[in-house]
Amino acid sequence: MATGTAQEWKRGWPVVVAAMAGFSFFSVLISATGLFIAPLEREFGWDRATLSMGPAIATAVTALLSPFYGAAIDRFGSRRLGLPGVVATMAATSMFAFASGSRTQWVVMWIVFGLILTSIKSTIWTTAVAGTFSKGRGLALGLAVTGPAIAQTLVPPLGNFLIESFGWRAAYVWFALGWGGVTLLLCWLFLSDAHVPRAFGKAPAPRPALPGLRKREALRSLALAQVALSSFVVMTMTIGLGIHLFPILTEAGVARTEAAWLLSLGGVAGIVGKLVTGALLDRFRPNWTGSLTMGVTAVTFVVLVRFLDSMPALIAALVINGYAAGSKTQITAYLTAGYAGMRNFGMIYGAMSALVALASGLGPWIAGKVYDVSGGYEPFLWVGAAGCVLGGALLLALPPMPRWDEEQDQAVSASAP
């Protein structure tokens, strides 16, 4: 087992690096959305629901396209689709610098952004990593999905600095060309996957036969349905919280600079959480690890209702939230690969991530609408706490995973020259 894991890492570490960069770039604009709320509100006079609808629109578009794009990944591979996707996303992020104050233009921009963002969503990076690793998949996915945590850590202080120093328009361009340029370089050097392996300096290896559920079997899988429902509920609540967390803190009296650093603290905790969760997924029943991670996030919602005036409680809540935040994508990917196998992973996880994308867009809009109607976030926070508990319970009830790893080893051996 140890030898097999070491061989996987010797062969696959470049893929993890590329996926980490891709995940981070995918998350940059979402992580920065809260920072742009106040400047856009001052310049254009928009309400919170309008300012929050952008991610909702983009993620709704990606939700519609995800299953089809996942099937394309199964056929063409992550590299052939991911590289042009990064370039297009750089251009789409820069596009927001040209916002004029027209609500119609704003909506159209986010629709276009959603169309393009689909090309670098989690399916690309997760398929590459999950197809490269079997015995060390949990830790590999954990490292790959530190990308959003890196973005969550660096984007708040960096974005606040860029907005205050150069203005919100220039900040969009800096994020696009700077972060996107580094991502493009790393993906060009390192990105490959099991569907279309890439031996550097050599001809592509033969495509292996991969084990897993057939499409109709996946549709009938109760375990995959539980994973999907848990992910949808928890993501709706936690992404909604994440987008509005900066305004929640600043309206409670926390200075913008301090609020930005508090969000960064959650990002640091997220990096630790992904690595610890990855190790736990490889060593214990994954549904137990997933259940605890999903469920404990309820603490953050309760603290933001009852103990917002206590800095120690607030710090603890943001650490807990950060620890669990990025691990949710990692857990969903791990459980999907475990219960579905890799035969049609791109399409199945594409459908799974479509629900997650829908939730990620719906959550911020719901939180903004609740604020506009009630004058505060408290109703949303209480529902969020209950939703996280429900999501954890659904994962706790999952059955043991199939043993796809033996079939994977046989497939790799059969395809070896």
Side-chain angles (χ1 to χ4, degrees):
M1 177 72 72
T3 301
T5 303
Q7 290 174 344
E8 282 185 347
W9 277 103
K10 183 177 180 180
R11 179 182 70 250
W13 69 264
V15 177
V16 174
V17 172
M20 188 186 303
F23 263 116
S24 73
F25 189 41
F26 175 81
S27 305
V28 162
L29 200 55
I30 302 300
S31 299
T33 297
L35 299 171
F36 288 97
I37 286 178
L40 291 170
E41 191 174 38
R42 285 195 301 269
E43 181 150 349
F44 299 140
W46 293 341
D47 58 27
R48 294 292 172 87
T50 299
L51 292 165
S52 301
M53 75 166 60
I57 293 169
T59 51
V61 173
T62 63
L64 292 173
L65 296 179
S66 288
F68 306 102
Y69 201 70
I73 295 170
D74 287 335
R75 181 171 181 179
F76 299 108
S78 296
R79 180 177 176 83
R80 293 175 181 172
L81 298 176
L83 289 176
V86 172
V87 175
T89 304
M90 291 168 64
T93 303
S94 299
M95 169 184 65
F96 288 99
F98 298 96
S100 65
S102 165
R103 292 173 189 257
T104 300
Q105 181 206 43
W106 186 250
V107 170
V108 171
M109 281 182 168
W110 279 101
I111 292 173
V112 172
F113 184 74
L115 289 169
I116 294 173
L117 193 66
T118 305
S119 63
I120 65 162
K121 73 188 308 293
S122 59
T123 315
I124 283 278
W125 319 115
T126 301
T127 301
V129 174
T132 303
F133 290 84
S134 176
K135 298 178 175 63
R137 181 179 290 160
L139 183 57
L141 284 170
L143 284 168
V145 299
T146 57
I150 292 171
Q152 183 185 352
T153 302
L154 298 181
V155 164
L158 176 59
N160 192 54
F161 168 77
L162 291 172
I163 291 171
E164 292 185 346
S165 300
F166 305 105
W168 62 267
R169 296 182 189 275
Y172 279 118
V173 178
W174 277 106
F175 279 133
L177 302 184
W179 209 300
V182 173
T183 301
L184 180 61
L185 176 62
L186 292 175
C187 289
W188 177 266
L189 292 173
F190 298 138
L191 182 60
S192 62
D193 60 74
H195 292 85
V196 184
R198 181 174 187 263
F200 296 98
K202 302 177 181 178
R207 176 174 174 166
L210 301 174
L213 296 180
R214 300 183 185 278
K215 296 174 184 178
R216 290 186 179 180
E217 293 173 332
L219 290 173
R220 295 194 299 266
S221 172
L222 178 60
L224 290 178
Q226 289 175 237
V227 173
L229 181 58
S230 173
S231 299
F232 179 80
V233 171
V234 175
M235 287 291 188
T236 298
M237 297 297 103
T238 56
I239 299 298
L241 173 64
I243 295 298
H244 289 268
L245 187 53
F246 193 81
I248 289 173
L249 295 176
T250 54
E251 290 178 7
V254 180
R256 282 183 62 90
T257 302
E258 292 180 1
W261 283 109
L262 283 172
L263 265 62
S264 292
L265 177 64
V268 173
I271 295 173
V272 175
K274 295 169 197 298
L275 299 179
V276 173
T277 298
L280 293 175
L281 287 170
D282 287 333
R283 287 167 174 78
F284 301 100
R285 279 193 60 174
N287 63 309
W288 295 352
T289 300
S291 174
L292 178 61
T293 304
M294 297 286 196
V296 75
T297 316
V299 173
T300 299
F301 287 87
V302 175
V303 168
L304 291 174
V305 175
R306 292 297 189 188
F307 306 102
L308 191 55
D309 57 343
S310 170
M311 185 57 68
L314 187 58
I315 291 174
L318 293 180
V319 168
I320 292 171
N321 184 63
Y323 179 92
S327 300
K328 293 189 287 290
T329 301
Q330 170 189 2
I331 289 166
T332 301
Y334 190 99
L335 293 176
T336 302
Y339 286 103
M342 293 302 300
R343 182 195 298 269
N344 291 293
F345 178 80
M347 189 207 71
I348 296 169
Y349 186 68
M352 194 76 68
S353 62
L355 289 175
V356 172
L358 179 61
S360 299
L362 188 61
W365 181 84
I366 290 174
K369 195 65 177 178
V370 168
Y371 179 90
D372 291 336
V373 171
S374 69
Y377 290 103
E378 184 171 336
F380 174 80
L381 294 173
W382 280 123
V383 174
C388 290
V389 172
L390 173 62
L394 286 167
L395 297 189
L396 188 62
L398 284 170
M401 281 185 178
R403 295 300 302 271
W404 303 114
D405 51 341
E406 288 101 357
E407 294 186 39
Q408 178 77 24
D409 290 341
Q410 293 172 3
V412 171
S413 298
S415 63

